[in-house]
Amino acid sequence: MASPSSMAARHPFASLRKPFETASGRRGTLYSLPALARKYPGIRRLPVSLRIVLEAVLRHCDGRKVTPAHVEQLARWQPQAERKDEIPFVVSRVVLQDFTGVPLLADLAAMRSAATRLGCDPRKIEPLVPVDLVVDHSIMVDHYGSKKALDLNMKLEFQRNRERYEFMKWGMQAFDTFGVVPPGFGIVHQVNLEYLARGVHCGKDGVYYPDTLVGTDSHTTMINGIGVVGWGVGGIEAEAAMLGQPVYFLTPDVVGFELTGQLREGVTATDLVLTVTELLRQHKVVGKFVEFFGAGTRSLSLPDRATIANMAPEYGATMGFFPVDEKTLAYFKGTGRSKSEIEAFEAYFKAQGLFGVPGAGDIDYSQVVCLDLGQVTPSLAGPKRPQDRIELGQVKQQFSALFSKPVAENGFNQPAGRLGRGAHSRCDRIAHARVACIFQVPRQTASAHGIQGVLQHGFCPQGRAQLVHRTAGCGKTRSPARGQHQNDGQRITQEGGP
């Protein structure tokens, strides 16, 4: 078998493999973008997200699936050029949720079965990149309102789906690169942010490379909040990525989003993301990368960034990317990453010239959109689509106007006389701990307004607690567990987490 050094020697860009060192003196190697920039000076002004993609293209250049022409094509990216070339992007890992992940595991099992029938070693069938399956889409809530609810719901979940979980456990034992996160730990995006993301990886040959991924959920883009390039794909693309094949996508335009100023007191991430989404939908960013920069971007907390990145499908972009900076490192430290991991993360990104949020004029973008954070006002989403925004002072007027408008105009097509007769609420998630806390009003304040507010313990795929409130005068509502109507007042689940 060829040694790593001989394999590196055959690499078309072997001369770009350079050493770097962490703060503790640990050494590693990388495929250097600054060294490549000596041949292609335009790399220094490429968007950060594209440079991370370029590193993957450079590192995986084998002359077959990825060629030197692909490297040159991306290194010479121009902001206003015609987009006709595809990029072969080999990701570092794949994230699956259970609805799409279990069929992909079944495909791997079928491949092993076929290998056995052909007299081949079935262990040769193995994902070539790490794969994590997070169970969060298919669970139900039967018990709530007691401290035992989580335990009872967990037992029911495993009883009902015993065969399914046995199959998943087989997958964990059979494949070295396949892992499963069982139900009850949070939504796939929360687990991805807090636990699965590594910042950088180190290969068997000692080469370090940035964390990149595709996931089988449209909101995989939440990971863009910590500087990870990734987005949602279909099952076929995910399976190809699992087997080490490139994910092909058209060379994108990159929209720079400059944030200035700071959020005012009392303005939440929800208010900000609704404003950002409204603005980006006006600029038609479908199929494009959106990259945030500027002094205002540096002021945002990691949960705020992740909230904006999570909404990329709503504003239509492939990604809503935030570069790595000191706040990213602080988040990694606060979520239990090891010192050595964080040091390698920081040293790698600084060695590649990828660390820090760019300022105005540092990067050449296809288009620049600007927003002063100080102008963001308290808002509500809806009343129908999550990407729509209504300022708090306009809620009554806007809802009243939409109530009788036809559905084609985003209205409810209801007689005006029905307005005010009842109330109805739908189950929604809140992925931001600070935003969720706003809904936990004191019991005395709630009672004074006819609301009974209590924190209920249940089994929620989006977290370990449910905030349930009952509003006087309400008849039936939709249960978030099964979609059934109950004559028990309104139930609204709110998610805790970053």
Side-chain angles (χ1 to χ4, degrees):
M1 184 174 182
S3 66
S5 58
S6 63
M7 291 175 67
R10 292 198 298 269
H11 193 287
F13 294 94
S15 62
L16 299 184
R17 184 169 167 175
K18 304 293 184 182
F20 76 102
E21 186 174 320
T22 71
S24 298
R26 185 177 179 181
R27 294 177 178 274
T29 60
L30 51 77
Y31 281 94
S32 174
L33 293 177
L36 183 64
R38 297 191 190 107
K39 183 176 182 181
Y40 305 107
I43 289 175
R44 299 184 183 92
R45 295 189 60 83
L46 283 183
V48 177
S49 53
L50 277 188
R51 275 183 269 169
I52 292 175
V53 175
L54 175 60
E55 187 280 338
V57 176
L58 172 66
R59 178 167 36 89
H60 287 98
C61 184
D62 58 5
R64 299 187 301 274
K65 292 181 294 188
V66 183
T67 67
H70 289 125
V71 175
E72 180 177 2
Q73 165 204 320
L74 189 52
R76 294 185 182 278
W77 180 88
Q78 295 295 319
Q80 306 298 331
E82 180 185 359
R83 307 302 177 202
K84 57 183 180 180
D85 297 316
E86 287 191 329
I87 298 172
F89 181 39
V90 181
V91 297
S92 304
R93 60 189 177 94
V94 176
V95 173
L96 312 173
Q97 41 90 340
D98 43 334
F99 269 5
T100 50
V102 172
L104 295 187
L105 178 58
D107 285 348
L108 291 174
M111 289 184 217
R112 283 207 164 182
S113 179
T116 301
R117 290 195 301 270
L118 293 171
C120 301
D121 184 358
R123 290 173 296 181
K124 290 184 178 180
I125 306 298
E126 180 81 31
L128 295 182
V129 299
V131 179
D132 294 286
L133 189 156
V134 182
V135 182
D136 79 333
H137 273 57
S138 59
I139 58 184
M140 298 193 298
V141 177
D142 292 88
H143 300 275
Y144 61 91
S146 75
K147 294 181 179 179
K148 296 181 180 180
L150 177 60
D151 183 56
L152 292 172
N153 284 314
M154 288 285 283
K155 289 179 179 178
L156 280 172
E157 173 68 17
F158 285 107
Q159 287 173 6
R160 287 169 174 157
N161 299 291
R162 179 183 178 90
E163 184 179 13
R164 188 161 166 262
Y165 286 111
E166 286 178 346
F167 180 52
M168 291 183 194
K169 188 172 182 180
W170 170 83
M172 291 179 65
Q173 296 171 338
F175 299 100
D176 295 333
T177 54
F178 186 89
V180 177
V181 178
F185 287 90
I187 63 170
V188 58
H189 316 305
Q190 175 186 347
V191 173
N192 199 14
L193 275 173
E194 295 181 357
Y195 176 69
L196 299 178
R198 299 265 64 89
V200 291
H201 302 264
C202 182
K204 294 179 180 179
D205 55 357
V207 173
Y208 282 76
Y209 51 94
D211 191 14
T212 58
L213 63 98
V214 289
T216 56
D217 188 286
S218 60
H219 289 95
T220 298
T221 53
M222 182 180 275
I223 202 69
N224 303 155
I226 58 172
V228 175
V229 169
W231 54 84
V233 297
I236 294 176
E237 289 177 290
E239 188 161 353
M242 288 166 54
L243 299 176
Q245 296 301 306
V247 175
Y248 290 91
F249 64 99
L250 189 67
T251 305
D253 285 347
V254 182
V255 177
F257 199 122
E258 183 181 10
L259 296 175
T260 60
Q262 289 189 327
L263 291 173
R264 294 179 291 166
E265 186 68 28
V267 175
T268 70
T270 300
D271 305 322
L272 173 58
V273 74
L274 288 173
T275 304
V276 168
T277 301
E278 183 179 58
L279 194 55
L280 286 174
R281 286 176 68 87
Q282 293 172 0
H283 285 83
K284 303 186 185 305
V285 297
V286 174
K288 302 177 182 180
F289 287 5
V290 173
E291 184 170 302
F292 294 85
F293 71 98
T297 301
R298 299 188 197 102
S299 73
L300 293 180
S301 69
L302 228 298
D304 287 356
R305 298 178 188 185
T307 303
I308 295 171
N310 182 65
M311 286 287 279
E314 277 69 38
Y315 47 79
T318 302
M319 287 200 304
F321 182 82
F322 288 83
V324 172
D325 65 356
E326 291 80 4
K327 290 191 175 180
T328 317
L329 300 179
Y331 180 80
F332 269 54
K333 183 178 180 180
T335 48
R337 270 71 167 195
S338 68
K339 180 181 178 181
S340 61
E341 284 180 314
I342 296 171
E343 285 184 349
F345 186 22
E346 180 178 10
Y348 177 90
F349 271 73
K350 286 183 175 179
Q352 292 282 43
L354 299 172
F355 191 85
V357 176
D362 292 345
I363 302 292
D364 293 330
Y365 293 109
S366 305
Q367 176 186 359
V368 174
V369 179
C370 301
L371 175 66
D372 180 359
L373 295 176
Q375 300 300 313
V376 178
T377 58
S379 310
L380 289 179
K384 294 180 70 176
R385 301 183 302 179
Q387 66 266 23
D388 290 334
R389 183 181 73 93
I390 305 176
E391 291 191 16
L392 279 182
Q394 301 295 319
V395 171
K396 180 180 179 180
Q397 176 183 348
Q398 186 75 2
F399 185 82
S400 298
L402 290 173
F403 192 74
S404 301
K405 282 189 175 182
V407 175
E409 297 180 29
N410 202 28
F412 294 92
N413 198 31
Q414 297 292 320
R418 294 190 61 188
L419 190 60
R421 289 183 183 178
H424 181 75
S425 180
R426 71 185 181 96
C427 169
D428 273 321
R429 300 198 304 266
I430 294 181
H432 194 303
R434 176 169 166 261
V435 176
C437 288
I438 293 173
F439 290 86
Q440 300 184 40
V441 295
R443 184 183 298 274
Q444 298 89 337
T445 304
S447 298
H449 293 275
I451 300 174
Q452 296 177 330
V454 292
L455 187 64
Q456 300 278 29
H457 298 275
F459 180 77
C460 183
Q462 295 83 27
R464 291 181 175 267
Q466 295 178 319
L467 182 66
V468 179
H469 76 230
R470 291 176 171 83
T471 306
C474 295
K476 298 185 293 185
T477 186
R478 182 180 183 275
S479 163
R482 305 182 188 177
Q484 297 174 340
H485 286 81
Q486 302 176 356
N487 291 307
D488 189 30
Q490 288 189 316
R491 298 180 59 217
I492 297 180
T493 59
Q494 307 291 4
E495 167 187 329

